[in-house]
mmCIF file of all heavy atoms in Angstrom:
data_model
loop_
_atom_site.group_PDB
_atom_site.id
_atom_site.type_symbol
_atom_site.label_atom_id
_atom_site.label_comp_id
_atom_site.label_asym_id
_atom_site.label_seq_id
_atom_site.Cartn_x
_atom_site.Cartn_y
_atom_site.Cartn_z
ATOM 1 N N VAL A 187 5.514 -21.802 -69.002
ATOM 2 C CA VAL A 187 5.140 -20.901 -70.071
ATOM 3 C C VAL A 187 3.992 -19.987 -69.665
ATOM 4 O O VAL A 187 3.674 -18.988 -70.368
ATOM 5 C CB VAL A 187 4.719 -21.657 -71.378
ATOM 6 C CG1 VAL A 187 5.925 -22.448 -71.925
ATOM 7 C CG2 VAL A 187 3.569 -22.624 -71.073
ATOM 8 N N THR A 188 3.351 -20.275 -68.558
ATOM 9 C CA THR A 188 2.304 -19.427 -68.051
ATOM 10 C C THR A 188 2.814 -18.648 -66.761
ATOM 11 O O THR A 188 3.752 -19.008 -66.195
ATOM 12 C CB THR A 188 1.049 -20.249 -67.656
ATOM 13 O OG1 THR A 188 1.395 -21.137 -66.612
ATOM 14 C CG2 THR A 188 0.551 -21.004 -68.850
ATOM 15 N N GLU A 189 2.023 -17.602 -66.461
ATOM 16 C CA GLU A 189 2.378 -16.857 -65.259
ATOM 17 C C GLU A 189 1.871 -17.479 -63.990
ATOM 18 O O GLU A 189 2.411 -17.262 -62.927
ATOM 19 C CB GLU A 189 1.841 -15.407 -65.383
ATOM 20 C CG GLU A 189 2.519 -14.585 -66.486
ATOM 21 C CD GLU A 189 1.991 -13.168 -66.615
ATOM 22 O OE1 GLU A 189 1.258 -12.751 -65.668
ATOM 23 O OE2 GLU A 189 2.309 -12.468 -67.546
ATOM 24 N N TYR A 190 0.701 -18.197 -64.143
ATOM 25 C CA TYR A 190 0.136 -18.769 -62.895
ATOM 26 C C TYR A 190 -0.687 -20.070 -63.200
ATOM 27 O O TYR A 190 -0.848 -20.897 -62.286
ATOM 28 C CB TYR A 190 -0.779 -17.787 -62.178
ATOM 29 C CG TYR A 190 -1.833 -17.166 -63.059
ATOM 30 C CD1 TYR A 190 -3.040 -17.761 -63.250
ATOM 31 C CD2 TYR A 190 -1.668 -15.879 -63.549
ATOM 32 C CE1 TYR A 190 -4.092 -17.171 -64.043
ATOM 33 C CE2 TYR A 190 -2.697 -15.267 -64.368
ATOM 34 C CZ TYR A 190 -3.843 -15.946 -64.544
ATOM 35 O OH TYR A 190 -4.831 -15.355 -65.314
ATOM 36 N N ALA A 191 -1.166 -20.248 -64.388
ATOM 37 C CA ALA A 191 -2.112 -21.390 -64.661
ATOM 38 C C ALA A 191 -1.463 -22.729 -64.401
ATOM 39 O O ALA A 191 -2.007 -23.566 -63.615
ATOM 40 C CB ALA A 191 -2.605 -21.298 -66.085
ATOM 41 N N LEU A 192 -0.386 -22.978 -64.975
ATOM 42 C CA LEU A 192 0.330 -24.326 -64.863
ATOM 43 C C LEU A 192 0.899 -24.436 -63.425
ATOM 44 O O LEU A 192 0.960 -25.492 -62.865
ATOM 45 C CB LEU A 192 1.368 -24.498 -65.872
ATOM 46 C CG LEU A 192 0.881 -24.677 -67.302
ATOM 47 C CD1 LEU A 192 2.005 -24.638 -68.344
ATOM 48 C CD2 LEU A 192 0.166 -26.066 -67.459
ATOM 49 N N GLN A 193 1.346 -23.318 -62.848
ATOM 50 C CA GLN A 193 1.932 -23.350 -61.505
ATOM 51 C C GLN A 193 0.935 -23.839 -60.439
ATOM 52 O O GLN A 193 1.298 -24.478 -59.493
ATOM 53 C CB GLN A 193 2.444 -21.969 -61.122
ATOM 54 C CG GLN A 193 3.668 -21.504 -61.920
ATOM 55 C CD GLN A 193 3.338 -20.773 -63.183
ATOM 56 O OE1 GLN A 193 2.376 -21.166 -63.831
ATOM 57 N NE2 GLN A 193 4.144 -19.814 -63.549
ATOM 58 N N ARG A 194 -0.337 -23.536 -60.668
ATOM 59 C CA ARG A 194 -1.367 -23.951 -59.671
ATOM 60 C C ARG A 194 -1.552 -25.463 -59.666
ATOM 61 O O ARG A 194 -1.715 -26.047 -58.621
ATOM 62 C CB ARG A 194 -2.685 -23.300 -60.057
ATOM 63 C CG ARG A 194 -2.717 -21.767 -59.751
ATOM 64 C CD ARG A 194 -3.980 -21.108 -60.249
ATOM 65 N NE ARG A 194 -3.999 -19.709 -59.949
ATOM 66 C CZ ARG A 194 -4.962 -18.876 -60.406
ATOM 67 N NH1 ARG A 194 -5.925 -19.330 -61.190
ATOM 68 N NH2 ARG A 194 -4.888 -17.608 -60.039
ATOM 69 N N ARG A 195 -1.535 -26.131 -60.834
ATOM 70 C CA ARG A 195 -1.679 -27.520 -60.882
ATOM 71 C C ARG A 195 -0.402 -28.293 -60.641
ATOM 72 O O ARG A 195 -0.448 -29.426 -60.137
ATOM 73 C CB ARG A 195 -2.251 -27.993 -62.264
ATOM 74 C CG ARG A 195 -3.697 -27.734 -62.398
ATOM 75 C CD ARG A 195 -4.293 -28.274 -63.684
ATOM 76 N NE ARG A 195 -5.745 -28.094 -63.745
ATOM 77 C CZ ARG A 195 -6.396 -28.146 -64.898
ATOM 78 N NH1 ARG A 195 -5.800 -28.440 -66.034
ATOM 79 N NH2 ARG A 195 -7.760 -27.995 -64.916
ATOM 80 N N TYR A 196 0.745 -27.724 -60.982
ATOM 81 C CA TYR A 196 2.005 -28.433 -60.951
ATOM 82 C C TYR A 196 3.022 -27.543 -60.255
ATOM 83 O O TYR A 196 3.966 -26.994 -60.851
ATOM 84 C CB TYR A 196 2.453 -28.753 -62.336
ATOM 85 C CG TYR A 196 1.372 -29.511 -63.125
ATOM 86 C CD1 TYR A 196 0.579 -28.804 -64.110
ATOM 87 C CD2 TYR A 196 1.090 -30.830 -62.936
ATOM 88 C CE1 TYR A 196 -0.401 -29.411 -64.785
ATOM 89 C CE2 TYR A 196 0.046 -31.436 -63.646
ATOM 90 C CZ TYR A 196 -0.682 -30.733 -64.573
ATOM 91 O OH TYR A 196 -1.717 -31.369 -65.272
ATOM 92 N N PRO A 197 2.879 -27.350 -58.918
ATOM 93 C CA PRO A 197 3.761 -26.429 -58.231
ATOM 94 C C PRO A 197 5.217 -26.929 -58.124
ATOM 95 O O PRO A 197 5.422 -28.132 -58.046
ATOM 96 C CB PRO A 197 3.128 -26.283 -56.876
ATOM 97 C CG PRO A 197 2.384 -27.599 -56.710
ATOM 98 C CD PRO A 197 1.881 -27.959 -58.049
ATOM 99 N N PRO A 198 6.186 -26.018 -58.102
ATOM 100 C CA PRO A 198 7.567 -26.421 -57.828
ATOM 101 C C PRO A 198 7.798 -26.699 -56.346
ATOM 102 O O PRO A 198 6.967 -26.382 -55.502
ATOM 103 C CB PRO A 198 8.344 -25.226 -58.293
ATOM 104 C CG PRO A 198 7.439 -24.042 -58.020
ATOM 105 C CD PRO A 198 6.004 -24.584 -58.252
ATOM 106 N N ALA A 199 8.969 -27.329 -56.049
ATOM 107 C CA ALA A 199 9.319 -27.496 -54.699
ATOM 108 C C ALA A 199 9.526 -26.160 -54.064
ATOM 109 O O ALA A 199 9.821 -25.145 -54.668
ATOM 110 C CB ALA A 199 10.611 -28.337 -54.586
ATOM 111 N N ALA A 200 9.381 -26.134 -52.749
ATOM 112 C CA ALA A 200 9.498 -24.859 -52.000
ATOM 113 C C ALA A 200 10.823 -24.212 -52.159
ATOM 114 O O ALA A 200 10.972 -23.004 -52.149
ATOM 115 C CB ALA A 200 9.197 -25.100 -50.531
ATOM 116 N N ASN A 201 11.938 -25.024 -52.261
ATOM 117 C CA ASN A 201 13.251 -24.485 -52.411
ATOM 118 C C ASN A 201 13.791 -24.430 -53.797
ATOM 119 O O ASN A 201 14.986 -24.159 -54.061
ATOM 120 C CB ASN A 201 14.244 -25.327 -51.544
ATOM 121 C CG ASN A 201 14.303 -26.777 -52.014
ATOM 122 O OD1 ASN A 201 13.365 -27.257 -52.733
ATOM 123 N ND2 ASN A 201 15.278 -27.486 -51.550
ATOM 124 N N ALA A 202 12.902 -24.664 -54.801
ATOM 125 C CA ALA A 202 13.318 -24.681 -56.219
ATOM 126 C C ALA A 202 13.289 -23.255 -56.814
ATOM 127 O O ALA A 202 12.519 -22.462 -56.380
ATOM 128 C CB ALA A 202 12.494 -25.628 -56.986
ATOM 129 N N PHE A 203 14.154 -23.049 -57.778
ATOM 130 C CA PHE A 203 14.078 -21.805 -58.546
ATOM 131 C C PHE A 203 12.939 -21.901 -59.484
ATOM 132 O O PHE A 203 12.701 -22.924 -60.187
ATOM 133 C CB PHE A 203 15.378 -21.617 -59.344
ATOM 134 C CG PHE A 203 15.428 -20.441 -60.196
ATOM 135 C CD1 PHE A 203 15.884 -19.191 -59.739
ATOM 136 C CD2 PHE A 203 14.957 -20.475 -61.558
ATOM 137 C CE1 PHE A 203 15.924 -18.060 -60.562
ATOM 138 C CE2 PHE A 203 15.019 -19.404 -62.404
ATOM 139 C CZ PHE A 203 15.478 -18.144 -61.894
ATOM 140 N N SER A 204 12.078 -20.885 -59.590
ATOM 141 C CA SER A 204 10.891 -20.898 -60.392
ATOM 142 C C SER A 204 10.777 -19.579 -61.175
ATOM 143 O O SER A 204 10.961 -18.511 -60.571
ATOM 144 C CB SER A 204 9.697 -21.198 -59.597
ATOM 145 O OG SER A 204 8.486 -21.163 -60.399
ATOM 146 N N THR A 205 10.423 -19.694 -62.442
ATOM 147 C CA THR A 205 10.162 -18.506 -63.258
ATOM 148 C C THR A 205 9.170 -18.829 -64.338
ATOM 149 O O THR A 205 8.642 -19.947 -64.374
ATOM 150 C CB THR A 205 11.551 -18.006 -63.871
ATOM 151 O OG1 THR A 205 11.277 -16.771 -64.543
ATOM 152 C CG2 THR A 205 12.047 -19.014 -64.885
ATOM 153 N N SER A 206 8.878 -17.861 -65.168
ATOM 154 C CA SER A 206 7.934 -18.099 -66.292
ATOM 155 C C SER A 206 8.388 -17.320 -67.499
ATOM 156 O O SER A 206 8.921 -16.178 -67.383
ATOM 157 C CB SER A 206 6.515 -17.680 -65.911
ATOM 158 O OG SER A 206 6.453 -16.295 -65.693
ATOM 159 N N TYR A 207 8.275 -17.910 -68.634
ATOM 160 C CA TYR A 207 8.508 -17.238 -69.939
ATOM 161 C C TYR A 207 7.934 -18.116 -71.061
ATOM 162 O O TYR A 207 7.845 -19.331 -70.948
ATOM 163 C CB TYR A 207 10.064 -17.062 -70.228
ATOM 164 C CG TYR A 207 10.925 -18.311 -70.062
ATOM 165 C CD1 TYR A 207 11.001 -19.186 -71.130
ATOM 166 C CD2 TYR A 207 11.624 -18.513 -68.929
ATOM 167 C CE1 TYR A 207 11.791 -20.353 -71.024
ATOM 168 C CE2 TYR A 207 12.419 -19.569 -68.772
ATOM 169 C CZ TYR A 207 12.527 -20.517 -69.830
ATOM 170 O OH TYR A 207 13.298 -21.622 -69.725
ATOM 171 N N SER A 208 7.438 -17.460 -72.059
ATOM 172 C CA SER A 208 6.830 -18.160 -73.210
ATOM 173 C C SER A 208 7.872 -18.609 -74.167
ATOM 174 O O SER A 208 8.967 -18.086 -74.260
ATOM 175 C CB SER A 208 5.838 -17.237 -73.894
ATOM 176 O OG SER A 208 5.367 -17.812 -75.116
ATOM 177 N N ASP A 209 7.502 -19.635 -74.987
ATOM 178 C CA ASP A 209 8.373 -20.121 -76.046
ATOM 179 C C ASP A 209 8.345 -19.157 -77.272
ATOM 180 O O ASP A 209 9.145 -19.336 -78.137
ATOM 181 C CB ASP A 209 7.962 -21.494 -76.546
ATOM 182 C CG ASP A 209 8.544 -22.567 -75.629
ATOM 183 O OD1 ASP A 209 9.433 -22.277 -74.855
ATOM 184 O OD2 ASP A 209 8.054 -23.748 -75.708
ATOM 185 N N VAL A 210 7.401 -18.308 -77.343
ATOM 186 C CA VAL A 210 7.173 -17.493 -78.498
ATOM 187 C C VAL A 210 8.359 -16.633 -78.758
ATOM 188 O O VAL A 210 9.013 -16.152 -77.884
ATOM 189 C CB VAL A 210 5.862 -16.632 -78.365
ATOM 190 C CG1 VAL A 210 6.092 -15.590 -77.332
ATOM 191 C CG2 VAL A 210 5.436 -16.104 -79.667
ATOM 192 N N GLU A 211 8.637 -16.457 -80.099
ATOM 193 C CA GLU A 211 9.688 -15.510 -80.483
ATOM 194 C C GLU A 211 9.032 -14.353 -81.160
ATOM 195 O O GLU A 211 8.586 -14.514 -82.325
ATOM 196 C CB GLU A 211 10.654 -16.252 -81.402
ATOM 197 C CG GLU A 211 11.465 -17.382 -80.716
ATOM 198 C CD GLU A 211 12.460 -18.038 -81.613
ATOM 199 O OE1 GLU A 211 12.964 -17.416 -82.588
ATOM 200 O OE2 GLU A 211 12.743 -19.243 -81.396
ATOM 201 N N LEU A 212 9.053 -13.221 -80.514
ATOM 202 C CA LEU A 212 8.435 -11.992 -81.080
ATOM 203 C C LEU A 212 9.458 -10.920 -81.191
ATOM 204 O O LEU A 212 9.584 -10.013 -80.297
ATOM 205 C CB LEU A 212 7.260 -11.558 -80.223
ATOM 206 C CG LEU A 212 6.037 -12.450 -80.131
ATOM 207 C CD1 LEU A 212 4.969 -11.880 -79.223
ATOM 208 C CD2 LEU A 212 5.437 -12.706 -81.555
ATOM 209 N N PRO A 213 10.220 -10.901 -82.300
ATOM 210 C CA PRO A 213 11.144 -9.795 -82.560
ATOM 211 C C PRO A 213 10.386 -8.617 -83.050
ATOM 212 O O PRO A 213 9.110 -8.617 -83.182
ATOM 213 C CB PRO A 213 12.066 -10.404 -83.650
ATOM 214 C CG PRO A 213 11.200 -11.280 -84.375
ATOM 215 C CD PRO A 213 10.226 -11.909 -83.346
ATOM 216 N N ASP A 214 11.103 -7.537 -83.317
ATOM 217 C CA ASP A 214 10.451 -6.287 -83.803
ATOM 218 C C ASP A 214 9.575 -6.491 -85.012
ATOM 219 O O ASP A 214 8.521 -5.945 -85.187
ATOM 220 C CB ASP A 214 11.545 -5.221 -84.140
ATOM 221 C CG ASP A 214 12.205 -4.703 -82.850
ATOM 222 O OD1 ASP A 214 11.654 -4.868 -81.756
ATOM 223 O OD2 ASP A 214 13.346 -4.211 -82.943
ATOM 224 N N ALA A 215 10.034 -7.394 -85.914
ATOM 225 C CA ALA A 215 9.310 -7.659 -87.139
ATOM 226 C C ALA A 215 7.945 -8.283 -86.991
ATOM 227 O O ALA A 215 7.127 -8.271 -87.854
ATOM 228 C CB ALA A 215 10.155 -8.484 -88.149
#
Side-chain angles (χ1 to χ4, degrees):
V187 294
T188 61
E189 294 182 10
Y190 54 82
L192 290 169
Q193 290 88 325
R194 289 173 177 172
R195 280 186 179 163
Y196 310 100
N201 60 343
F203 177 90
S204 179
T205 186
S206 65
Y207 52 80
S208 170
D209 276 347
V210 70
E211 296 182 27
L212 294 179
D214 290 339

